[in-house]
């Protein structure tokens, strides 16, 4: 059991809440363990159609636990960051959509976790940044990598060099978050998104994730070939048969479940 992460299943959504509000949900080994456990349940429990990461209190996650950092050497720090990094890769590889519902501060590792999610919904109270530079270290779980791919080379460079924090609106403007919503409406908006995604084909959702995420790491030509293969895979599915027939018959499609 992880004390730092609360996991709850409701209506096909796996709610994963970072729960160390007294430390602004800073990342320690227990929190990484909880995140890994959540990913495992999402993988195994086929009733789960979407995973949501959020935080208790005023932070989504304030990054690595700096008090823990004060007590460990570079080998141990690397081990913890590697564990987190692998968990974030697993999040990207998960077959269901993963949403970050950023309720407040998302700094350092917190911003890195959000960036590994498929869609980022941010409360108007959210704040983002990579403040590692102020500690004399650099981001270690995607901060210099995913960030540059999301917001562009120079903007990522500026954020990592200065350690400056940006608010939700600025984050939306530079493309770091998909959408900013009123703080009180964050959970409601997540549920609306969940209902929308639940009506889609789980297989097609999975293939979209694979195609976007893996294609992104290839050249355009390789990515397009890869997409074509996955397109054919989707076309051969029962859900495609149903989706296409439903369109022709002018009715809503009834897609299958996760296998
Ligand atoms: N690691 C460990 N504890 C943290 C933390 C972190 N990353 N971020 C916040 N906390 C703790 C604080 O130490 C404090 O607990 P304490 O009073 O028992 O010491 C509590 O959370 C509340 O934080 P506080 O600093 O009092 O809140 P604030 O609103 O004044 O400032 C921040 C909020 C996020 C600006 C500030 O806490 C901060 O800079 N945190 C570090 C962020 C960071 O550098 N993250 C990247 C690490 S690699």
């Amino acid at each position: 059991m992880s004390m730092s992460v609360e996991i709850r299943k409701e209506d096909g959504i796996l709610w994963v809440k970072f729960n160390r509000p007294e430390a602004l949900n800073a990342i320690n080994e227990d929190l990484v363990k909880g995140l890994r456990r959540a990913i495992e349940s999402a993988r195994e429990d086929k009733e789960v159609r979407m995973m949501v990461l959020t935080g208790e209190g005023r932070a989504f996650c304030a990054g690595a636990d700096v008090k823990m950092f004060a007590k460990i050497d570079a080998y141990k720090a690397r081990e913890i960051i590697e564990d987190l990094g692998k968990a974030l890769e697993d999040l990207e590889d998960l077959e269901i959509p993963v949403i970050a519902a950023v309720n407040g501060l998302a700094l350092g590792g917190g911003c890195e976790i959000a960036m590994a999610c498929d869609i980022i919904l941010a409360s108007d109270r959210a704040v983002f940044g990579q403040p590692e530079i102020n500690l004399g270290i650099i981001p270690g779980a995607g901060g210099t990598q995913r960030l540059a791919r999301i917001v562009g080379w120079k903007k990522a460079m500026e954020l990592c060099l200065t350690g400056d924090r940006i608010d939700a609106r600025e984050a939306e403007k530079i493309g770091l978050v998909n959408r900013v919503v009123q703080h009180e409406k964050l959970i409601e908006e997540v549920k609306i998104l969940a209902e929308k995604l639940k009506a889609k084909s789980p297989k097609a959702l999975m293939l979209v994730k694979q195609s976007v995420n893996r294609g992104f790491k290839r050249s355009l030509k390789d990515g397009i070939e890869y997409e074509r293969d996955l397109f054919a895979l989707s076309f051969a599915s029962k859900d495609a048969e149903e989706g296409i027939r439903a369109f022709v018959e002018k009715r809503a499609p009834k897609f299958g479940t996760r296998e």
Side-chain angles (χ1 to χ4, degrees), residues 20 36 60 77 90 97 113 116 133 146-147 155 158 172 186 202 211 215 240-241 251:
R20 297 184 70 205
R36 296 191 75 97
F60 174 72
D90 288 347
I113 292 173
I133 192 83
R146 284 197 185 88
L147 186 59
K155 202 71 212 173
E158 183 187 356
E172 186 182 41
L186 182 61
S211 189
E241 203 180 307
R251 60 175 174 81

Side-chain angles (χ1 to χ4, degrees), residues 201 203-204 207 231-242 259:
S201 153
K203 174 143 194 165
L207 293 174
F231 162 77
L233 249 180
S234 73
F235 204 93
S237 71
K238 278 211 176 68
D239 280 350
E241 203 180 307
E242 163 63 9
E259 293 140 24

Side-chain angles (χ1 to χ4, degrees), residues 73-85:
D73 63 13
Y75 293 101
K76 183 68 187 169
R78 191 201 152 104
E79 194 185 303
I80 296 168
I81 281 296
E82 193 165 341
D83 255 9
L84 174 63

